[in-house]
Amino acid sequence: MTPLSELAQGQQYPAAALYVVATPIGNIADITLRALHVLGLADRIAAEDTRNTGQLLARYGISKPLVAVHQHNERVAAQRVIEYLRAGERVAYVSDAGTPGISDPGAKLVDAVREAGFAVIPLPGASALATALSVTGDWVATFSFLGFLPPKPKARAAALQALAQHPHAMVFYEAPHRIVETVQALGDAFGGTRRLLIARELTKLHEALHRGTLAEAPTWLAADTNRQRGEFVLVVEGASPEVTGEHDHDALLGILLEELTVSSAAKIAASLTGASRNALYARALALKEDKPET
Ligand code: SAM
């Protein structure tokens, strides 16, 4: 059997390319062999925070020239990275933790590098989003990632109100100083019965996973202030199809029925709205029967 290190080395790692590398979200052992190989191979490492990344790399025995690419200088710093790529370098990009570009800098750098004609190569690894979802359970079939909610109460309430009928589970990130008010705001906007997973300090010493409802989550958080510390992922159940009315998707079904069979219209409407395919089929059939022949 091929040794794992050879598998990591066996991939193509072209020069003059940007490697977007995921790093751990807590436990520093959560890094892939390929990520370590590429960080070792890179001529330069662009990082959201060069001090943090320098310390992390030291733990892996890697020392490379570092260049800062963060939220406030991403466009300008991208031009510097492009110069290094023009000189034929392999440049790796890492954010502070997890996967770059997910509630982290990286997206603008990726666009600029690609527009300049250089390859962008992803190296997968840890992300708080995927880690939390992997243990959420069977009530999440589909989800939307919303990242951080607006910090101001009015803007947050408005953002949540707009999501009240969202049919898919929603994943939010939250910081410790806002966790209590955010969980309260979720309950105010969506009602208490929806399921919620609070994933706290994933992969770290004080990792905690709490499964409950929006109604009882504030009590759980208040019961021990330690539960309000650390970093959080919140997974909230989407609106259930029962709360929407039988006629809610008539307009969409009407348009689809102009061109499609009842079955195809129901199938497409179900994937667009998240509503039950059987219910949409029954409604589409009724609409078709009601419609006078032309
Ligand atoms: N790019 C990262 C990723 O792939 O997950 C996310 C970076 S974002 C700036 C940081 C937020 O991610 C934290 O405020 C928290 O909501 C979430 N997060 C990061 N690490 C976490 C962990 N170990 N446990 C729970 N949530 C975490």
Side-chain angles (χ1 to χ4, degrees), residues 130-153:
T131 308
L133 281 172
S134 72
V135 291
T136 303
D138 200 30
W139 54 272
V140 173
T142 55
F143 69 92
S144 298
F145 176 60
L146 283 309
F148 291 96
L149 281 161
K152 296 208 173 113

Side-chain angles (χ1 to χ4, degrees), residues 67-89:
V67 46
V69 179
H70 48 72
Q71 200 190 344
H72 305 291
N73 76 346
E74 199 172 343
R75 274 180 216 282
V76 176
Q79 296 312 313
R80 279 181 69 196
V81 169
I82 289 167
E83 288 310 311
Y84 296 127
L85 297 174
R86 281 208 178 98
E89 290 192 4

Side-chain angles (χ1 to χ4, degrees), residues 164-244:
Q165 294 307 323
H166 188 70
H168 309 285
M170 288 157 279
V171 186
F172 300 96
Y173 280 171
E174 197 46 280
H177 56 286
R178 275 197 286 267
I179 187 66
V180 169
E181 50 184 287
T182 293
V183 166
Q184 187 63 54
L186 285 165
D188 293 345
F190 298 163
T193 55
R194 293 217 205 160
R195 281 180 277 205
L196 166 75
L197 172 81
I198 302 179
R200 171 177 165 260
E201 293 288 82
L202 291 163
T203 79
K204 301 185 195 176
L205 186 62
H206 298 293
E207 178 178 87
L209 294 167
H210 174 71
R211 271 151 286 207
T213 62
L214 286 175
E216 57 74 37
T219 314
W220 182 80
L221 282 170
D224 179 351
T225 51
N226 284 322
R227 293 177 180 168
Q228 302 165 21
R229 300 210 169 102
E231 300 191 272
F232 295 87
V233 181
L234 302 170
V235 187
V236 188
E237 188 174 18
S240 64
E242 288 78 44
V243 299
T244 60

